[in-house]
């Protein structure tokens, strides 16, 4: 299947801003404030997970339609095994670097926690994803979702996609109520250690699965040609963008207030229970659905809209996602994501052993890191960048 370049550009966009958000300098730096998350309760990780689910649905639903369930299942699970190798490889690389780099243990302490190579319980926790070092937490949830993806794609292509959608919503509600604790609390106690971290994870899988599987459903239906996106998102149908804009504008001052500690405590006490990032709470779900629908409408319907400002906005957005650099990153998102984790850890180490950097130096480092993101993608497409010369004729 021909890759959709704009989708690759989106994934590349999310990877760039994910990197900028994850770079940590003493005293912070200004580039981290230039991000859509400052204006909405939507972050790059959500977009990356959604796009992954969308492409999984599109690619493997077509595979199942062509070759059957088993062929698609085997491909998906092979991909999950590949992802697992990368997830473990990142941990091993960083642990080896911790042994070799002077002072790395102290500098990375908050990110790695207590990981002793002679502690079988901690190593088991890492291998089973119950213990996830900082910034190594997206691949584990992606792998878990991939385990269930074959059966759910099959339900979609056999006409039972509503079961998947309803089931995902019910599981999301269970995550908001904390029902996963019936399982996680006993495991946390069993894996507990002197540092009191039996389970260490940034994402509640029951909450965040709705991001991945909503994309999977949409991708599967797209592969089956059951959705005519140009009819759903048409210039004449403006209800979707109006509702999306209303939701985003409503939350805009609330996001600014929470980002700058301006919200009164008596409101934050209630509001905070609805916007728990780890659970992908209702505030995040509403904002993500609104922004995703608004962007989709602008990309699909915007170029055909009668108003020149709408067409201009659509052209600008399409132009951003059409940048060759972003599309290059998106075509190799797995390898770029793994590389971004290594970059983030190394920059944190350099910052930790150096005097405080100036704002100009931090900016230069950040921009350099964005450029370095492309190295795995360039290597994987090296024949495109450096085509091999003509083969020498064989000697008689």
């Amino acid at each position: 299947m021909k890759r959709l370049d704009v989708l690759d550009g989106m994934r590349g966009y999310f990877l760039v801003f994910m990197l900028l958000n994850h770079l940590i300098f003493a005293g912070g730096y200004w580039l981290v404030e230039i991000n859509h998350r400052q204006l909405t309760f939507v972050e790059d990780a959500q977009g990356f997970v959604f796009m992954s689910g969308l492409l999984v649905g599109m690619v493997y639903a077509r595979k199942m339609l062509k070759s059957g369930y088993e062929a698609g299942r085997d491909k998906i699970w092979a991909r999950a095994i590949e992802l697992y190798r990368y997830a473990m490889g990142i941990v091993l690389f960083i642990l080896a670097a911790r042994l070799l780099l002077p002072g790395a243990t102290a500098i990375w302490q908050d990110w790695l926690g207590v990981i002793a190579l002679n502690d079988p319980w901690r190593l088991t926790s890492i291998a089973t994803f119950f213990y996830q070092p900082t910034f190594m937490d997206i691949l584990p949830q992606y792998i878990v979702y991939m385990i269930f993806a074959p059966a759910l794609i099959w339900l979609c292509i056999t006409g039972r996609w509503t079961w998947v959608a309803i089931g995902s919503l019910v599981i999301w509600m269970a995550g908001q109520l904390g029902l996963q604790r019936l399982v996680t609390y006993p495991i946390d106690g069993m894996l507990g250690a002197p540092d009191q971290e039996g389970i260490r994870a940034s994402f509640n899988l029951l909450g965040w699965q709705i991001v991945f599987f909503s994309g999977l459903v949409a991708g599967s239906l797209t592969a089956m040609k059951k959705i005519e996106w140009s009819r759903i998102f048409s210039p004449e149908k403006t209800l979707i963008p109006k509702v999306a804009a209303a939701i985003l504008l409503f939350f805009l001052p609330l996001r600014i207030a929470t980002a700058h500690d301006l919200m009164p405590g008596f409101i934050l006490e209630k509001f905070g229970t609805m916007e728990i990032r780890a659970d992908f709470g209702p505030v995040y779900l509403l904002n993500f659905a609104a922004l995703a629908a608004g962007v989709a409408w602008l990309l699909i319907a915007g170029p055909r809209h009668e108003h020149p400002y709408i067409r201009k906005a659509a052209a600008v957005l399409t132009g951003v996602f059409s940048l060759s650099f972003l599309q290059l990153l998106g075509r190799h998102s797995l390898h770029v994501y793994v590389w971004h984790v290594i970059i983030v850890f190394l920059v944190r180490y350099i910052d930790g052993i150096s005097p405080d950097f100036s704002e100009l130096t931090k900016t230069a480092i950040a921009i350099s890191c964005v450029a370095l993101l492309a190295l795995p993608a360039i290597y994987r497409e090296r024949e495109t960048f450096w085509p091999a010369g003509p083969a020498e004729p064989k000697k008689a």
Side-chain angles (χ1 to χ4, degrees):
M1 184 180 68
K2 184 179 179 180
R3 300 185 69 91
L4 299 178
D5 292 338
V6 171
L7 299 186
D8 284 332
M10 286 185 180
R11 291 208 291 182
Y13 172 89
F14 295 135
L15 284 165
V16 166
F17 282 94
M18 197 182 299
L19 171 69
L20 292 176
N21 290 335
H22 290 171
L23 291 176
I24 305 297
F25 296 99
Y29 75 117
W30 71 278
L31 270 180
V32 77
E33 302 300 327
I34 303 178
N35 191 284
H36 53 261
R37 70 183 178 91
Q38 301 295 327
L39 302 175
T40 67
F41 291 92
V42 180
E43 300 177 354
D44 305 294
Q46 300 159 22
F48 188 76
V49 172
F50 176 80
M51 294 303 302
S52 298
L54 179 69
L55 289 170
V56 165
M58 292 174 65
V59 172
Y60 295 107
R62 178 163 293 193
K63 181 69 176 179
M64 288 186 184
L65 288 169
K66 180 180 179 181
S67 305
Y69 170 76
E70 289 79 9
R73 179 201 61 198
D74 293 345
K75 287 285 187 180
I76 294 173
W77 285 355
R79 181 66 164 172
I81 293 172
E82 179 186 11
L83 291 171
Y84 183 82
R85 291 200 300 266
Y86 278 110
M88 293 298 101
I90 299 174
V91 178
L92 293 175
F93 179 88
I94 296 300
L95 290 181
R98 187 181 68 170
L99 294 174
L100 297 174
L101 298 176
T105 300
I107 294 172
W108 292 339
Q109 177 64 39
D110 291 342
W111 290 4
L112 293 178
V114 178
I115 301 178
L117 297 180
N118 60 353
D119 183 349
W121 281 113
R122 180 50 48 86
L123 296 179
T124 300
S125 299
I126 293 173
T128 53
F129 296 143
F130 287 113
Y131 189 94
Q132 300 168 15
T134 302
F135 303 135
M136 302 183 194
D137 41 22
I138 287 185
L139 284 183
Q141 67 162 320
Y142 190 23
I143 292 168
V144 172
Y145 300 154
M146 292 285 276
I147 293 174
F148 296 97
L152 299 183
I153 292 174
W154 184 252
L155 288 175
C156 289
I157 66 177
T158 53
R160 291 168 285 182
W161 68 269
T162 55
W163 294 15
V164 180
I166 294 171
S168 180
L169 180 61
V170 170
I171 292 172
W172 175 83
M173 291 190 295
Q176 305 313 301
L177 298 174
L179 299 185
Q180 75 280 358
R181 297 182 181 184
L182 293 171
V183 175
T184 59
Y185 266 40
I187 295 176
D188 185 64
M190 181 178 67
L191 296 176
D195 59 358
Q196 300 299 312
E197 284 192 303
I199 293 181
R200 172 178 168 147
S202 299
F203 300 102
N204 177 349
L205 294 182
L206 300 189
W208 276 75
Q209 55 77 31
I210 199 170
V211 182
F212 183 89
F213 289 125
S214 61
L216 181 143
V217 170
S220 299
L221 295 178
T222 300
M224 298 168 60
K225 299 182 180 179
K226 294 291 186 180
I227 298 180
E228 294 186 43
W229 293 110
S230 59
R231 292 186 61 183
I232 295 175
F233 299 111
S234 68
E236 297 79 22
K237 297 178 181 179
T238 58
L239 179 61
I240 290 177
K242 287 177 180 177
V243 172
I247 293 173
L248 295 173
L249 288 173
F250 172 80
F251 280 103
L252 174 60
L254 299 175
R255 180 66 189 106
I256 294 174
T258 55
H260 299 281
D261 295 323
L262 300 176
M263 183 173 287
F266 58 88
I267 296 180
L268 186 60
E269 182 180 359
K270 174 64 176 178
F271 184 79
T273 63
M274 306 291 285
E275 61 105 20
I276 301 174
R277 176 183 182 272
D279 294 337
F280 199 67
V283 169
Y284 280 96
L285 179 61
L286 277 172
N287 277 263
F288 178 76
L291 187 60
V295 169
W297 185 88
L298 194 58
L299 287 173
I300 297 172
R304 297 174 286 142
H305 199 272
E306 61 181 5
H307 202 294
Y309 289 125
I310 300 296
R311 293 198 301 270
K312 181 63 175 177
V316 170
L317 194 61
T318 302
V320 170
F321 295 140
S322 298
L323 292 173
S324 57
F325 178 76
L326 297 182
Q327 292 183 358
L328 173 65
L329 299 181
R331 288 195 295 271
H332 307 280
S333 58
L334 166 63
H335 303 84
V336 173
Y337 174 81
V338 172
W339 175 233
H340 121 277
V341 174
I342 296 173
I343 290 175
V344 168
F345 268 80
L346 293 179
V347 168
R348 178 69 187 92
Y349 176 75
I350 293 171
D351 183 73
I353 63 174
S354 305
D356 289 350
F357 292 125
S358 67
E359 198 64 45
L360 181 61
T361 302
K362 294 176 184 178
T363 302
I365 292 174
I367 294 174
S368 300
C369 289
V370 171
L372 289 173
L373 263 185
L375 288 182
I378 292 174
Y379 176 76
R380 289 174 60 79
E381 295 191 14
R382 57 191 179 277
E383 294 182 359
T384 301
F385 290 94
W386 301 286
E392 296 183 4
K394 294 182 179 180
K395 294 181 179 179

